[in-house]
mmCIF file of all heavy atoms in Angstrom:
data_model
loop_
_atom_site.group_PDB
_atom_site.id
_atom_site.type_symbol
_atom_site.label_atom_id
_atom_site.label_comp_id
_atom_site.label_asym_id
_atom_site.label_seq_id
_atom_site.Cartn_x
_atom_site.Cartn_y
_atom_site.Cartn_z
ATOM 1 N N SER Z 144 22.707 40.699 125.081
ATOM 2 C CA SER Z 144 21.885 41.117 126.221
ATOM 3 C C SER Z 144 21.480 39.966 127.104
ATOM 4 O O SER Z 144 20.323 39.871 127.486
ATOM 5 C CB SER Z 144 20.571 41.861 125.714
ATOM 6 O OG SER Z 144 20.990 42.990 124.928
ATOM 7 N N LEU Z 145 22.436 39.123 127.439
ATOM 8 C CA LEU Z 145 22.163 37.914 128.163
ATOM 9 C C LEU Z 145 21.626 38.112 129.548
ATOM 10 O O LEU Z 145 22.080 39.092 130.223
ATOM 11 C CB LEU Z 145 23.429 37.068 128.235
ATOM 12 C CG LEU Z 145 23.863 36.419 126.881
ATOM 13 C CD1 LEU Z 145 25.243 35.869 126.937
ATOM 14 C CD2 LEU Z 145 22.904 35.293 126.552
ATOM 15 N N LYS Z 146 20.769 37.267 129.918
ATOM 16 C CA LYS Z 146 20.174 37.262 131.203
ATOM 17 C C LYS Z 146 20.492 35.957 131.947
ATOM 18 O O LYS Z 146 20.760 34.972 131.282
ATOM 19 C CB LYS Z 146 18.623 37.370 131.079
ATOM 20 C CG LYS Z 146 18.139 38.586 130.243
ATOM 21 C CD LYS Z 146 16.648 38.515 130.032
ATOM 22 C CE LYS Z 146 16.199 39.661 129.155
ATOM 23 N NZ LYS Z 146 14.681 39.544 128.931
ATOM 24 N N PRO Z 147 20.477 36.001 133.253
ATOM 25 C CA PRO Z 147 20.710 34.772 134.051
ATOM 26 C C PRO Z 147 19.826 33.599 133.586
ATOM 27 O O PRO Z 147 20.262 32.394 133.627
ATOM 28 C CB PRO Z 147 20.473 35.198 135.481
ATOM 29 C CG PRO Z 147 20.814 36.593 135.502
ATOM 30 C CD PRO Z 147 20.282 37.063 134.200
ATOM 31 N N GLU Z 148 18.585 33.878 133.243
ATOM 32 C CA GLU Z 148 17.695 32.857 132.786
ATOM 33 C C GLU Z 148 18.051 32.221 131.451
ATOM 34 O O GLU Z 148 17.467 31.210 131.028
ATOM 35 C CB GLU Z 148 16.197 33.345 132.752
ATOM 36 C CG GLU Z 148 16.098 34.640 132.030
ATOM 37 C CD GLU Z 148 16.065 35.864 133.016
ATOM 38 O OE1 GLU Z 148 16.909 35.916 133.864
ATOM 39 O OE2 GLU Z 148 15.149 36.662 132.848
ATOM 40 N N ASP Z 149 19.072 32.807 130.774
ATOM 41 C CA ASP Z 149 19.517 32.217 129.500
ATOM 42 C C ASP Z 149 20.531 31.078 129.779
ATOM 43 O O ASP Z 149 20.984 30.408 128.797
ATOM 44 C CB ASP Z 149 20.235 33.251 128.644
ATOM 45 C CG ASP Z 149 19.227 34.319 128.092
ATOM 46 O OD1 ASP Z 149 18.060 33.943 127.761
ATOM 47 O OD2 ASP Z 149 19.615 35.494 128.031
ATOM 48 N N THR Z 150 20.988 30.961 131.000
ATOM 49 C CA THR Z 150 21.910 29.896 131.401
ATOM 50 C C THR Z 150 21.354 28.534 131.004
ATOM 51 O O THR Z 150 20.282 28.105 131.349
ATOM 52 C CB THR Z 150 22.203 29.905 132.864
ATOM 53 O OG1 THR Z 150 22.871 31.107 133.180
ATOM 54 C CG2 THR Z 150 23.080 28.799 133.287
ATOM 55 N N ALA Z 151 22.153 27.820 130.162
ATOM 56 C CA ALA Z 151 21.727 26.524 129.678
ATOM 57 C C ALA Z 151 22.839 25.883 128.830
ATOM 58 O O ALA Z 151 23.816 26.560 128.533
ATOM 59 C CB ALA Z 151 20.396 26.612 128.817
ATOM 60 N N VAL Z 152 22.629 24.629 128.473
ATOM 61 C CA VAL Z 152 23.470 23.977 127.475
ATOM 62 C C VAL Z 152 22.716 24.190 126.156
ATOM 63 O O VAL Z 152 21.548 23.895 126.061
ATOM 64 C CB VAL Z 152 23.649 22.433 127.794
ATOM 65 C CG1 VAL Z 152 24.411 21.822 126.645
ATOM 66 C CG2 VAL Z 152 24.335 22.252 129.107
ATOM 67 N N TYR Z 153 23.523 24.761 125.236
ATOM 68 C CA TYR Z 153 22.943 25.079 123.904
ATOM 69 C C TYR Z 153 23.351 23.998 122.890
ATOM 70 O O TYR Z 153 24.532 23.693 122.790
ATOM 71 C CB TYR Z 153 23.413 26.416 123.440
ATOM 72 C CG TYR Z 153 22.673 27.572 124.123
ATOM 73 C CD1 TYR Z 153 22.911 27.827 125.523
ATOM 74 C CD2 TYR Z 153 21.689 28.339 123.555
ATOM 75 C CE1 TYR Z 153 22.260 28.797 126.157
ATOM 76 C CE2 TYR Z 153 21.001 29.318 124.167
ATOM 77 C CZ TYR Z 153 21.257 29.603 125.486
ATOM 78 O OH TYR Z 153 20.583 30.577 126.130
ATOM 79 N N TYR Z 154 22.382 23.487 122.165
ATOM 80 C CA TYR Z 154 22.627 22.457 121.204
ATOM 81 C C TYR Z 154 22.270 22.891 119.796
ATOM 82 O O TYR Z 154 21.269 23.559 119.568
ATOM 83 C CB TYR Z 154 21.794 21.165 121.574
ATOM 84 C CG TYR Z 154 22.013 20.598 122.856
ATOM 85 C CD1 TYR Z 154 21.249 20.993 123.941
ATOM 86 C CD2 TYR Z 154 22.939 19.521 123.082
ATOM 87 C CE1 TYR Z 154 21.476 20.425 125.244
ATOM 88 C CE2 TYR Z 154 23.102 18.967 124.278
ATOM 89 C CZ TYR Z 154 22.382 19.428 125.332
ATOM 90 O OH TYR Z 154 22.563 18.865 126.643
ATOM 91 N N CYS Z 155 23.045 22.497 118.836
ATOM 92 C CA CYS Z 155 22.667 22.714 117.468
ATOM 93 C C CYS Z 155 22.101 21.442 116.902
ATOM 94 O O CYS Z 155 22.479 20.318 117.339
ATOM 95 C CB CYS Z 155 23.820 23.244 116.559
ATOM 96 S SG CYS Z 155 25.157 22.107 116.288
ATOM 97 N N ALA Z 156 21.226 21.540 115.933
ATOM 98 C CA ALA Z 156 20.601 20.351 115.357
ATOM 99 C C ALA Z 156 20.440 20.515 113.817
ATOM 100 O O ALA Z 156 20.316 21.565 113.280
ATOM 101 C CB ALA Z 156 19.173 20.174 115.932
ATOM 102 N N LEU Z 157 20.482 19.338 113.170
ATOM 103 C CA LEU Z 157 20.366 19.349 111.695
ATOM 104 C C LEU Z 157 19.232 18.465 111.242
ATOM 105 O O LEU Z 157 19.023 17.357 111.864
ATOM 106 C CB LEU Z 157 21.759 18.825 111.079
ATOM 107 C CG LEU Z 157 21.872 18.650 109.605
ATOM 108 C CD1 LEU Z 157 23.316 18.881 109.189
ATOM 109 C CD2 LEU Z 157 21.399 17.272 109.164
ATOM 110 N N ARG Z 158 18.515 18.880 110.237
ATOM 111 C CA ARG Z 158 17.426 18.121 109.723
ATOM 112 C C ARG Z 158 17.818 17.589 108.344
ATOM 113 O O ARG Z 158 18.204 18.379 107.424
ATOM 114 C CB ARG Z 158 16.128 18.964 109.598
ATOM 115 C CG ARG Z 158 14.972 18.181 108.908
ATOM 116 C CD ARG Z 158 13.766 19.097 108.782
ATOM 117 N NE ARG Z 158 12.776 18.516 107.977
ATOM 118 C CZ ARG Z 158 11.837 17.628 108.350
ATOM 119 N NH1 ARG Z 158 11.790 17.237 109.599
ATOM 120 N NH2 ARG Z 158 10.935 17.069 107.490
ATOM 121 N N PHE Z 159 17.738 16.280 108.153
ATOM 122 C CA PHE Z 159 17.982 15.637 106.906
ATOM 123 C C PHE Z 159 16.775 14.834 106.474
ATOM 124 O O PHE Z 159 16.519 13.789 106.990
ATOM 125 C CB PHE Z 159 19.212 14.759 106.963
ATOM 126 C CG PHE Z 159 19.447 13.889 105.742
ATOM 127 C CD1 PHE Z 159 19.518 14.465 104.545
ATOM 128 C CD2 PHE Z 159 19.594 12.473 105.903
ATOM 129 C CE1 PHE Z 159 19.720 13.687 103.388
ATOM 130 C CE2 PHE Z 159 19.825 11.710 104.735
ATOM 131 C CZ PHE Z 159 19.893 12.313 103.459
ATOM 132 N N THR Z 160 15.983 15.447 105.532
ATOM 133 C CA THR Z 160 14.850 14.764 105.068
ATOM 134 C C THR Z 160 14.666 15.107 103.598
ATOM 135 O O THR Z 160 14.647 16.278 103.196
ATOM 136 C CB THR Z 160 13.602 15.188 105.815
ATOM 137 O OG1 THR Z 160 13.705 14.902 107.143
ATOM 138 C CG2 THR Z 160 12.314 14.529 105.282
ATOM 139 N N LEU Z 161 14.511 14.104 102.737
ATOM 140 C CA LEU Z 161 14.328 14.330 101.341
ATOM 141 C C LEU Z 161 12.974 15.007 101.047
ATOM 142 O O LEU Z 161 11.977 14.737 101.669
ATOM 143 C CB LEU Z 161 14.343 12.965 100.575
ATOM 144 C CG LEU Z 161 15.624 12.167 100.658
ATOM 145 C CD1 LEU Z 161 15.505 10.869 99.941
ATOM 146 C CD2 LEU Z 161 16.781 13.011 100.016
ATOM 147 N N GLY Z 162 13.012 15.966 100.093
ATOM 148 C CA GLY Z 162 11.756 16.583 99.719
ATOM 149 C C GLY Z 162 11.522 17.877 100.458
ATOM 150 O O GLY Z 162 10.510 18.542 99.987
ATOM 151 N N ASP Z 163 12.261 18.287 101.399
ATOM 152 C CA ASP Z 163 12.009 19.552 102.092
ATOM 153 C C ASP Z 163 12.269 20.699 101.111
ATOM 154 O O ASP Z 163 13.171 20.754 100.332
ATOM 155 C CB ASP Z 163 12.939 19.744 103.283
ATOM 156 C CG ASP Z 163 12.501 18.861 104.553
ATOM 157 O OD1 ASP Z 163 11.392 18.289 104.444
ATOM 158 O OD2 ASP Z 163 13.291 18.814 105.450
ATOM 159 N N SER Z 164 11.426 21.713 101.261
ATOM 160 C CA SER Z 164 11.579 22.943 100.494
ATOM 161 C C SER Z 164 12.659 23.799 101.135
ATOM 162 O O SER Z 164 12.883 23.780 102.334
ATOM 163 C CB SER Z 164 10.326 23.778 100.427
ATOM 164 O OG SER Z 164 9.278 23.020 99.784
ATOM 165 N N GLY Z 165 13.383 24.578 100.312
ATOM 166 C CA GLY Z 165 14.487 25.336 100.764
ATOM 167 C C GLY Z 165 14.166 26.408 101.767
ATOM 168 O O GLY Z 165 15.057 26.902 102.560
ATOM 169 N N ASP Z 166 12.897 26.870 101.782
ATOM 170 C CA ASP Z 166 12.482 27.927 102.651
ATOM 171 C C ASP Z 166 11.705 27.571 103.913
ATOM 172 O O ASP Z 166 11.260 28.370 104.664
ATOM 173 C CB ASP Z 166 11.608 28.978 101.880
ATOM 174 C CG ASP Z 166 10.357 28.295 101.366
ATOM 175 O OD1 ASP Z 166 10.218 27.068 101.338
ATOM 176 O OD2 ASP Z 166 9.485 29.023 100.836
ATOM 177 N N ARG Z 167 11.668 26.270 104.181
ATOM 178 C CA ARG Z 167 10.948 25.777 105.344
ATOM 179 C C ARG Z 167 11.725 25.892 106.595
ATOM 180 O O ARG Z 167 12.943 25.820 106.658
ATOM 181 C CB ARG Z 167 10.501 24.297 105.135
ATOM 182 C CG ARG Z 167 9.479 24.075 104.091
ATOM 183 C CD ARG Z 167 8.956 22.639 104.065
ATOM 184 N NE ARG Z 167 8.259 22.293 105.284
ATOM 185 C CZ ARG Z 167 7.789 21.107 105.593
ATOM 186 N NH1 ARG Z 167 7.925 20.108 104.702
ATOM 187 N NH2 ARG Z 167 7.233 20.847 106.760
ATOM 188 N N ILE Z 168 10.982 26.104 107.705
ATOM 189 C CA ILE Z 168 11.522 26.223 109.044
ATOM 190 C C ILE Z 168 10.929 25.114 109.923
ATOM 191 O O ILE Z 168 9.784 24.806 109.823
ATOM 192 C CB ILE Z 168 11.146 27.621 109.676
ATOM 193 C CG1 ILE Z 168 11.855 28.767 108.976
ATOM 194 C CG2 ILE Z 168 11.423 27.668 111.175
ATOM 195 C CD1 ILE Z 168 13.339 28.797 109.260
ATOM 196 N N PHE Z 169 11.806 24.578 110.854
ATOM 197 C CA PHE Z 169 11.413 23.561 111.740
ATOM 198 C C PHE Z 169 11.786 23.950 113.144
ATOM 199 O O PHE Z 169 12.830 24.390 113.465
ATOM 200 C CB PHE Z 169 12.090 22.220 111.379
ATOM 201 C CG PHE Z 169 11.879 21.853 109.924
ATOM 202 C CD1 PHE Z 169 12.790 22.259 108.957
ATOM 203 C CD2 PHE Z 169 10.768 21.110 109.533
ATOM 204 C CE1 PHE Z 169 12.628 21.926 107.623
ATOM 205 C CE2 PHE Z 169 10.541 20.872 108.199
ATOM 206 C CZ PHE Z 169 11.443 21.205 107.289
ATOM 207 N N ILE Z 170 10.745 23.740 114.067
ATOM 208 C CA ILE Z 170 10.939 24.183 115.440
ATOM 209 C C ILE Z 170 10.782 23.101 116.488
ATOM 210 O O ILE Z 170 10.963 23.284 117.607
ATOM 211 C CB ILE Z 170 9.995 25.355 115.760
ATOM 212 C CG1 ILE Z 170 8.516 24.912 115.729
ATOM 213 C CG2 ILE Z 170 10.222 26.539 114.798
ATOM 214 C CD1 ILE Z 170 7.496 25.891 116.193
ATOM 215 N N ARG Z 171 10.382 21.912 116.067
ATOM 216 C CA ARG Z 171 10.182 20.833 116.978
ATOM 217 C C ARG Z 171 11.351 19.921 117.117
ATOM 218 O O ARG Z 171 11.996 19.591 116.077
ATOM 219 C CB ARG Z 171 8.895 20.092 116.638
ATOM 220 C CG ARG Z 171 7.581 20.820 116.928
ATOM 221 C CD ARG Z 171 6.345 20.048 116.588
ATOM 222 N NE ARG Z 171 6.162 19.986 115.127
ATOM 223 C CZ ARG Z 171 5.514 20.895 114.444
ATOM 224 N NH1 ARG Z 171 4.962 21.936 115.119
ATOM 225 N NH2 ARG Z 171 5.387 20.799 113.133
ATOM 226 N N ILE Z 172 11.641 19.415 118.265
ATOM 227 C CA ILE Z 172 12.751 18.461 118.506
ATOM 228 C C ILE Z 172 12.586 17.261 117.582
ATOM 229 O O ILE Z 172 13.651 16.803 117.044
ATOM 230 C CB ILE Z 172 12.766 18.040 119.934
ATOM 231 C CG1 ILE Z 172 13.173 19.276 120.919
ATOM 232 C CG2 ILE Z 172 13.781 16.933 120.109
ATOM 233 C CD1 ILE Z 172 13.131 18.926 122.327
ATOM 234 N N THR Z 173 11.487 16.786 117.446
ATOM 235 C CA THR Z 173 11.281 15.571 116.615
ATOM 236 C C THR Z 173 11.457 15.768 115.140
ATOM 237 O O THR Z 173 11.515 14.782 114.363
ATOM 238 C CB THR Z 173 9.836 15.025 116.900
ATOM 239 O OG1 THR Z 173 8.902 16.018 116.619
ATOM 240 C CG2 THR Z 173 9.678 14.518 118.255
ATOM 241 N N GLU Z 174 11.599 16.978 114.730
ATOM 242 C CA GLU Z 174 11.820 17.273 113.326
ATOM 243 C C GLU Z 174 13.334 17.227 112.896
ATOM 244 O O GLU Z 174 13.603 17.405 111.710
ATOM 245 C CB GLU Z 174 11.190 18.671 112.931
ATOM 246 C CG GLU Z 174 9.681 18.686 113.038
ATOM 247 C CD GLU Z 174 9.067 19.989 112.719
ATOM 248 O OE1 GLU Z 174 9.542 21.055 113.252
ATOM 249 O OE2 GLU Z 174 8.053 20.120 111.946
ATOM 250 N N TYR Z 175 14.159 17.159 113.870
ATOM 251 C CA TYR Z 175 15.579 17.087 113.633
ATOM 252 C C TYR Z 175 16.201 15.674 113.717
ATOM 253 O O TYR Z 175 15.670 14.884 114.562
ATOM 254 C CB TYR Z 175 16.259 18.103 114.541
ATOM 255 C CG TYR Z 175 16.037 19.492 114.103
ATOM 256 C CD1 TYR Z 175 14.926 20.171 114.601
ATOM 257 C CD2 TYR Z 175 16.899 20.191 113.267
ATOM 258 C CE1 TYR Z 175 14.688 21.509 114.256
ATOM 259 C CE2 TYR Z 175 16.648 21.462 112.866
ATOM 260 C CZ TYR Z 175 15.508 22.146 113.378
ATOM 261 O OH TYR Z 175 15.233 23.393 112.979
ATOM 262 N N ASN Z 176 17.215 15.427 112.962
ATOM 263 C CA ASN Z 176 17.799 14.120 112.919
ATOM 264 C C ASN Z 176 19.115 13.947 113.614
ATOM 265 O O ASN Z 176 19.433 12.838 114.145
ATOM 266 C CB ASN Z 176 18.006 13.685 111.387
ATOM 267 C CG ASN Z 176 16.732 13.838 110.573
ATOM 268 O OD1 ASN Z 176 16.649 14.827 109.802
ATOM 269 N ND2 ASN Z 176 15.776 12.906 110.772
ATOM 270 N N TYR Z 177 19.927 15.017 113.615
ATOM 271 C CA TYR Z 177 21.207 14.935 114.194
ATOM 272 C C TYR Z 177 21.436 16.117 115.204
ATOM 273 O O TYR Z 177 20.958 17.214 115.041
ATOM 274 C CB TYR Z 177 22.256 14.990 113.106
ATOM 275 C CG TYR Z 177 22.206 13.859 112.159
ATOM 276 C CD1 TYR Z 177 21.492 13.968 110.988
ATOM 277 C CD2 TYR Z 177 22.864 12.612 112.445
ATOM 278 C CE1 TYR Z 177 21.413 12.920 110.141
ATOM 279 C CE2 TYR Z 177 22.811 11.561 111.533
ATOM 280 C CZ TYR Z 177 22.024 11.696 110.397
ATOM 281 O OH TYR Z 177 21.958 10.655 109.504
ATOM 282 N N TRP Z 178 22.177 15.796 116.272
ATOM 283 C CA TRP Z 178 22.442 16.686 117.358
ATOM 284 C C TRP Z 178 23.856 16.730 117.815
ATOM 285 O O TRP Z 178 24.601 15.727 117.762
ATOM 286 C CB TRP Z 178 21.580 16.283 118.596
ATOM 287 C CG TRP Z 178 20.111 16.396 118.364
ATOM 288 C CD1 TRP Z 178 19.329 15.484 117.717
ATOM 289 C CD2 TRP Z 178 19.272 17.429 118.685
ATOM 290 N NE1 TRP Z 178 17.995 15.896 117.660
ATOM 291 C CE2 TRP Z 178 17.983 17.124 118.225
ATOM 292 C CE3 TRP Z 178 19.457 18.688 119.281
ATOM 293 C CZ2 TRP Z 178 16.871 17.983 118.423
ATOM 294 C CZ3 TRP Z 178 18.366 19.525 119.510
ATOM 295 C CH2 TRP Z 178 17.071 19.147 119.064
ATOM 296 N N GLY Z 179 24.314 17.899 118.225
ATOM 297 C CA GLY Z 179 25.660 18.030 118.744
ATOM 298 C C GLY Z 179 25.648 17.756 120.219
ATOM 299 O O GLY Z 179 24.533 17.415 120.785
ATOM 300 N N GLN Z 180 26.810 17.764 120.875
ATOM 301 C CA GLN Z 180 26.875 17.463 122.258
ATOM 302 C C GLN Z 180 26.622 18.661 123.231
ATOM 303 O O GLN Z 180 26.471 18.491 124.430
ATOM 304 C CB GLN Z 180 28.249 16.895 122.536
ATOM 305 C CG GLN Z 180 28.591 15.558 121.843
ATOM 306 C CD GLN Z 180 27.557 14.547 122.213
ATOM 307 O OE1 GLN Z 180 27.374 14.229 123.415
ATOM 308 N NE2 GLN Z 180 26.843 13.933 121.283
ATOM 309 N N GLY Z 181 26.537 19.871 122.654
ATOM 310 C CA GLY Z 181 26.166 20.999 123.422
ATOM 311 C C GLY Z 181 27.342 21.892 123.899
ATOM 312 O O GLY Z 181 28.438 21.327 124.049
ATOM 313 N N THR Z 182 27.091 23.134 124.157
ATOM 314 C CA THR Z 182 28.083 24.024 124.721
ATOM 315 C C THR Z 182 27.421 24.836 125.834
ATOM 316 O O THR Z 182 26.270 25.313 125.688
ATOM 317 C CB THR Z 182 28.670 24.972 123.604
ATOM 318 O OG1 THR Z 182 29.692 25.778 124.175
ATOM 319 C CG2 THR Z 182 27.553 25.893 122.997
ATOM 320 N N GLN Z 183 28.090 24.927 126.925
ATOM 321 C CA GLN Z 183 27.508 25.541 128.116
ATOM 322 C C GLN Z 183 27.592 27.083 128.081
ATOM 323 O O GLN Z 183 28.685 27.614 127.828
ATOM 324 C CB GLN Z 183 28.292 25.003 129.381
ATOM 325 C CG GLN Z 183 27.749 25.689 130.685
ATOM 326 C CD GLN Z 183 26.419 25.220 131.094
ATOM 327 O OE1 GLN Z 183 26.130 24.031 131.094
ATOM 328 N NE2 GLN Z 183 25.513 26.206 131.455
ATOM 329 N N VAL Z 184 26.490 27.663 128.365
ATOM 330 C CA VAL Z 184 26.405 29.166 128.482
ATOM 331 C C VAL Z 184 25.926 29.461 129.887
ATOM 332 O O VAL Z 184 24.886 29.002 130.333
ATOM 333 C CB VAL Z 184 25.460 29.761 127.456
ATOM 334 C CG1 VAL Z 184 25.285 31.290 127.816
ATOM 335 C CG2 VAL Z 184 25.930 29.582 126.017
ATOM 336 N N THR Z 185 26.707 30.136 130.667
ATOM 337 C CA THR Z 185 26.375 30.536 132.036
ATOM 338 C C THR Z 185 26.438 32.027 132.164
ATOM 339 O O THR Z 185 27.429 32.696 131.840
ATOM 340 C CB THR Z 185 27.404 29.891 133.068
ATOM 341 O OG1 THR Z 185 27.403 28.449 132.867
ATOM 342 C CG2 THR Z 185 26.993 30.216 134.453
ATOM 343 N N VAL Z 186 25.330 32.640 132.598
ATOM 344 C CA VAL Z 186 25.215 34.073 132.762
ATOM 345 C C VAL Z 186 25.076 34.345 134.260
ATOM 346 O O VAL Z 186 24.072 33.941 134.874
ATOM 347 C CB VAL Z 186 24.019 34.579 131.967
ATOM 348 C CG1 VAL Z 186 23.973 36.127 132.047
ATOM 349 C CG2 VAL Z 186 24.057 34.124 130.488
ATOM 350 N N SER Z 187 25.981 35.157 134.743
ATOM 351 C CA SER Z 187 25.978 35.562 136.163
ATOM 352 C C SER Z 187 25.213 36.916 136.274
ATOM 353 O O SER Z 187 25.170 37.724 135.401
ATOM 354 C CB SER Z 187 27.383 35.672 136.736
ATOM 355 O OG SER Z 187 28.129 36.626 136.036
#
């Protein structure tokens, strides 16, 4: 159900930190260690 406002470069990110619990969720940019180069999504 894409909208024009969804247009952006989408990046995936990975968090590598010892001691994290398996059920934890992270939502801040600073909580991630590795990033991809992105893939463009354009909605007309």
Side-chain angles (χ1 to χ4, degrees):
S144 300
L145 287 167
K146 307 173 182 179
E148 48 264 47
D149 292 320
T150 295
V152 175
Y153 285 70
Y154 301 89
C155 66
L157 178 152
R158 175 180 169 86
F159 171 52
T160 300
L161 296 176
D163 283 350
S164 297
D166 59 350
R167 290 188 65 183
I168 290 288
F169 305 94
I170 64 172
R171 288 180 283 274
I172 292 175
T173 55
E174 293 179 313
Y175 289 87
N176 310 103
Y177 299 93
W178 297 81
Q180 296 302 304
T182 185
Q183 177 71 48
V184 172
T185 303
V186 185
S187 62

